[in-house]
């Protein structure tokens, strides 16, 4: 729809009345000599104001100007609106009821795009019915631009404010079993039962690559430290190595006699560990694709593996309710950690190697001293199987994901629960620490105030 923008003047006023109004405006501009006030009327067919808003925000942000937009509507015809607003350019924005800054509006628009990118990409011209109508009730863009189409007879029930969830990546046609970030934050890999691995841009949520080759569901993915390789583990009994840039398969590692459930690279990239339903852990040299060690000892299927930061230890978790620590160089078992009363689904080392976390079907997370094998903490609170654990980079937080549809954050020193993140509608299968997280840890709801 074409849009027209012009300086607003009241045509039905007499000269004297107009002169009086101009004098009032002059007084206001004198109070802010460097901050002229501009009044516009935008006449927009079908309420489509997004292009104008985008250009306006871009213009002011480039200038480093913080401004306040005051909005009001005037109906002219059944399908046309006039959008009347004033822009006050200030060194510091002054908030009042019915006013929001351009920054607030852009942040709110970004939340809508990230939350509904999948539908916007499929049908961009239906953004009002497929995206904005599902935005929270206090969404700025929803209140300014979101006129509900007349053909929608039953409006969806939406939450009052934005939740902690920032993005939802959609595209897989089967259950997603694992996720992993590249070290430089540029890629996110996801494994699925649809027999594919997908690579995403975590900033935009866009799918970058679709890696095909496995002939059964993919259980796990892991990036090498330098990001040059991506490993995937599958029920087809193989581990495959990929070039994340080109999407090309580099190696196919064969040797396991049952499905492969987990993979992990050592810090220096010289070793790749794989865990399998055949009750073994295997170590590979990823460059030639050669098997280096076969670690035996578990009496149940092995569900997870993790290297310590210095590469001196390898931890494995199993259906036999134990965690085992191995020397990757010799292949010798160093510790056998007992305590869980259900199968152990995940393990993770603290950055300095002083703690090892394990997640279990017994609904608990346990913290261990890898040197002594002693249990240090038992973290309770989940109401279903705990499927994954991960330490933050600085070690101040531990995240756990569960079939109870929540992610919980813990203080690993005290064992106290710090945060409970909700939003999933099915079991959570993985968590990963990263500076770009799909949950906003500190939610700032003050930016999402409704327009009066």
């Amino acid at each position: 729809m074409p849009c027209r923008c012009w300086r607003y003047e009241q045509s039905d006023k007499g000269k004297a009345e107009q002169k009086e109004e101009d004098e009032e405006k002059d007084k206001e501009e004198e109070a802010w000599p460097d901050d002229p006030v501009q009044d516009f009327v935008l006449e927009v067919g079908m309420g489509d104001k997004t292009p104008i808003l985008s250009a306006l925000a871009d213009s002011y942000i480039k200038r480093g100007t913080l401004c306040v937009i005051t909005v009001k509507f005037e109906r002219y015809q059944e399908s046309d609106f006039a959008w009347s607003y004033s822009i006050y350019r200030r060194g510091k924005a002054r908030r009042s009821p019915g006013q929001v800054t351009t920054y607030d509006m852009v942040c709110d628009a970004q939340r809508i795009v990230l939350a509904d990118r999948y539908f916007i990409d499929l049908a961009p011209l239906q953004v009002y019915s497929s995206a904005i109508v599902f935005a929270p009730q206090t969404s700025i863009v929803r209140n300014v631009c979101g006129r509900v189409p007349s053909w929608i007879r039953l409006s969806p029930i939406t939450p009052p404010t934005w939740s902690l969830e920032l993005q939802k990546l959609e595209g897989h046609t089967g259950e997603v079993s694992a996720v992993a970030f590249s070290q430089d934050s540029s890629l996110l890999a996801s494994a699925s039962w649809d027999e594919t691995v997908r690579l995403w841009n975590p900033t935009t949520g866009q799918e970058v690559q679709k890696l095909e080759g496995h002939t059964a569901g993919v259980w796990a993915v892991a990036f090498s430290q330098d990001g040059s390789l991506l490993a995937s583990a599958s029920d087809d009994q193989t581990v495959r190595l990929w070039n994340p840039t080109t999407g090309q398969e580099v190696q196919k590692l064969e040797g396991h006699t049952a499905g492969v459930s987990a993979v992990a690279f050592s810090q220096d990239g010289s070793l790749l560990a794989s865990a399998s339903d055949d009750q073994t852990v295997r170590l590979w040299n990823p460059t030639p694709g050669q098997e280096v060690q076969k670690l035996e000892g578990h009496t149940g299927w092995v569900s997870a593996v993790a290297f310590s930061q210095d590469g001196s230890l390898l931890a494995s978790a199993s259906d036999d309710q134990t965690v085992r620590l191995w020397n990757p160089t010799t292949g010798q078992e160093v510790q056998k950690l007992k305590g869980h009363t259900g199968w152990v689904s995940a393990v993770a080392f603290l950055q300095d190697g002083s703690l090892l976390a394990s997640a279990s079907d017994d609904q608990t997370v346990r913290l261990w001293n890898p040197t002594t094998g002693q249990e240090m903490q038992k973290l309770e609170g989940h109401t279903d199987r705990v499927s994954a654990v991960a330490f933050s980079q600085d070690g101040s937080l531990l995240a756990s994901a569960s079939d109870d549809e929540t992610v919980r954050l813990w203080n690993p020193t005290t064992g106290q629960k710090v945060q409970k993140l909700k939003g999933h509608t099915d079991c959570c299968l993985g968590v990963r620490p990263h500076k770009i997280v799909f949950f906003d840890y500190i939610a700032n709801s003050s930016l999402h105030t409704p327009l009066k």
Side-chain angles (χ1 to χ4, degrees):
M1 279 287 179
C3 302
R4 298 193 300 276
C5 174
W6 63 92
R7 182 165 181 89
Y8 179 64
E9 298 288 353
Q10 292 282 3
S11 59
D12 57 346
K13 290 183 179 179
K15 290 184 178 180
E17 190 177 352
Q18 185 66 51
K19 182 179 180 181
E20 183 180 342
E21 183 178 301
D22 290 342
E23 288 175 354
E24 289 296 322
K25 285 187 177 182
D26 290 340
K27 289 180 182 179
E28 185 177 353
E29 291 184 3
E30 286 174 6
W32 299 91
D34 297 326
D35 299 294
V37 179
Q38 302 173 357
D39 292 333
F40 290 91
V41 168
L42 306 180
E43 183 180 323
V44 185
M46 298 300 291
D48 187 2
K49 313 163 195 71
T50 308
I52 297 174
L53 176 63
S54 176
L56 173 74
D58 185 59
S59 170
Y60 275 90
I61 287 173
K62 281 182 179 177
R63 297 181 206 169
T65 306
L66 189 62
C67 62
V68 174
I69 301 176
T70 303
V71 184
K72 69 178 181 179
F73 292 101
E74 294 176 6
R75 180 183 289 274
Y76 283 127
Q77 298 176 5
E78 184 64 28
S79 61
D80 287 337
F81 283 87
W83 190 33
S84 174
Y85 65 88
S86 298
I87 308 169
Y88 299 88
R89 292 190 291 169
R90 300 285 185 252
K92 183 178 180 181
R94 297 183 174 185
R95 292 176 182 268
S96 63
Q99 293 183 330
V100 293
T101 67
T102 304
Y103 177 77
D104 294 347
M105 188 169 287
V106 172
C107 286
D108 189 76
Q110 183 184 37
R111 293 297 300 266
I112 289 178
V113 171
L114 291 178
D116 298 293
R117 181 188 177 94
Y118 180 73
F119 301 105
I120 293 172
D121 283 345
L122 286 177
L125 298 181
Q126 297 178 20
V127 65
Y128 291 101
S129 56
S130 63
I132 295 181
V133 72
F134 294 99
Q137 298 162 22
T138 55
S139 163
I140 298 167
V141 174
R142 175 183 176 135
N143 281 277
V144 172
C145 307
R147 189 166 72 103
V148 179
S150 59
W151 53 265
I152 296 181
R153 300 301 182 188
L154 183 62
S155 296
I157 299 173
T158 58
T161 60
W162 288 105
S163 69
L164 296 175
E165 180 186 305
L166 295 179
Q167 284 201 66
K168 183 162 66 171
L169 309 182
E170 297 177 283
H172 282 294
T173 57
E175 183 175 329
V176 180
S177 51
V179 289
F181 279 102
S182 62
Q183 190 66 18
D184 65 357
S185 81
S186 63
L187 288 175
L188 173 72
S190 59
S192 173
W193 289 4
D194 65 8
E195 303 180 4
T196 71
V197 173
R198 299 189 191 224
L199 299 180
W200 312 81
N201 181 323
T203 304
T204 65
Q206 185 176 5
E207 183 180 314
V208 180
Q209 295 275 3
K210 181 180 178 182
L211 311 181
E212 297 177 290
H214 283 293
T215 57
V218 187
W219 281 104
V221 282
F223 281 97
S224 61
Q225 190 70 10
D226 62 3
S228 62
L229 286 176
L230 173 71
S232 58
S234 171
D235 237 10
D236 64 9
Q237 305 181 11
T238 70
V239 174
R240 299 187 191 228
L241 300 180
W242 311 82
N243 182 324
T245 305
T246 64
Q248 183 180 0
E249 183 179 314
V250 180
Q251 294 281 357
K252 181 180 177 182
L253 311 181
E254 297 177 288
H256 284 292
T257 58
V260 188
S261 52
V263 282
F265 281 97
S266 62
Q267 190 71 9
D268 62 4
S270 62
L271 285 176
L272 173 70
S274 59
S276 172
D277 290 2
D278 64 11
Q279 304 182 5
T280 71
V281 174
R282 300 187 190 227
L283 298 179
W284 312 81
N285 184 328
T287 305
Q290 182 181 0
E291 183 179 317
V292 179
Q293 295 276 2
K294 181 180 177 182
L295 311 181
E296 297 178 288
H298 282 294
T299 57
W301 56 276
V302 189
S303 54
V305 283
F307 282 97
S308 61
Q309 189 75 4
D310 62 3
S312 63
L313 286 176
L314 173 70
S316 59
S318 172
D319 179 56
D320 63 13
Q321 303 182 6
T322 70
V323 174
R324 300 188 190 225
L325 300 179
W326 312 82
N327 182 322
T329 305
T330 65
Q332 184 180 0
E333 183 180 314
V334 179
Q335 294 279 1
K336 181 179 178 181
L337 311 181
K338 293 183 178 181
H340 283 293
T341 57
W343 64 277
V344 189
S345 53
V347 283
F349 279 98
L350 186 64
Q351 194 80 354
D352 63 5
S354 62
L355 278 179
L356 175 72
S358 58
S360 172
D361 190 50
D362 63 12
Q363 305 179 11
T364 70
V365 174
R366 299 186 192 230
L367 299 179
W368 313 82
N369 183 323
T371 305
T372 65
Q374 183 183 0
E375 182 180 314
M376 308 299 291
Q377 296 276 1
K378 181 181 177 182
L379 311 181
E380 298 177 289
H382 283 294
T383 57
D384 208 331
R385 174 179 73 102
V386 187
S387 54
V389 284
F391 284 99
S392 63
Q393 205 72 9
D394 62 1
S396 63
L397 286 175
L398 174 71
S400 59
S402 170
D403 284 9
D404 64 11
E405 302 178 5
T406 70
V407 173
R408 298 183 192 231
L409 301 179
W410 313 83
N411 182 323
T413 305
T414 64
Q416 186 178 1
K417 184 180 74 176
V418 178
Q419 188 81 272
K420 180 181 177 181
L421 307 178
K422 294 182 178 180
H424 290 285
T425 57
D426 205 342
C427 57
C428 306
L429 296 174
V431 285
R432 292 291 185 273
H434 202 263
K435 65 180 180 182
I436 300 174
V437 186
F438 294 106
F439 282 97
D440 187 0
Y441 178 57
I442 302 175
N444 187 355
S445 59
S446 65
L447 295 181
H448 310 306
T449 52
L451 291 171
K452 303 295 183 182

